[in-house]
Amino acid sequence: MSNTCQNQSTANISIAQLTQSLDAMHIAQLTSFAYGLPPLYFCREYLEQDEQTAIGHCLQRLENGMNEQAFTLDKLTVLLAEKDYYDDYEARLRLGPELT
């Protein structure tokens, strides 16, 4: 496939389509990676929110980052393929109750 065809294929994919099968903790980790932060950075922020609210906030952050040209949809696609992600249970377990 030529680069032109690949670019057109990627251009037709939106953030929502790219993340449609992912849960909130996975999208939060992708958001963290996109901004060059530790994987659970945004997971902690969204831990107490319901799934749809957390997803909405993360998607908004990703859209903002693309609008500010901090990263591209291609970079998000690469991050999804190349980075290791914790599943929802393990992310929540790693963020468990903080000791006081």
Side-chain angles (χ1 to χ4, degrees), residues 5-20:
C5 290
Q6 285 178 331
N7 290 342
Q8 288 174 346
S9 296
T10 303
N12 292 331
I13 298 172
S14 70
I15 292 173
Q17 291 170 318
L18 186 67
T19 60
Q20 70 184 353

Side-chain angles (χ1 to χ4, degrees), residues 44-56:
R44 182 173 306 282
E45 184 173 333
Y46 300 125
L47 188 61
E48 298 300 321
Q49 295 180 354
D50 67 82
E51 185 87 358
Q52 290 308 310
T53 301
I55 288 172

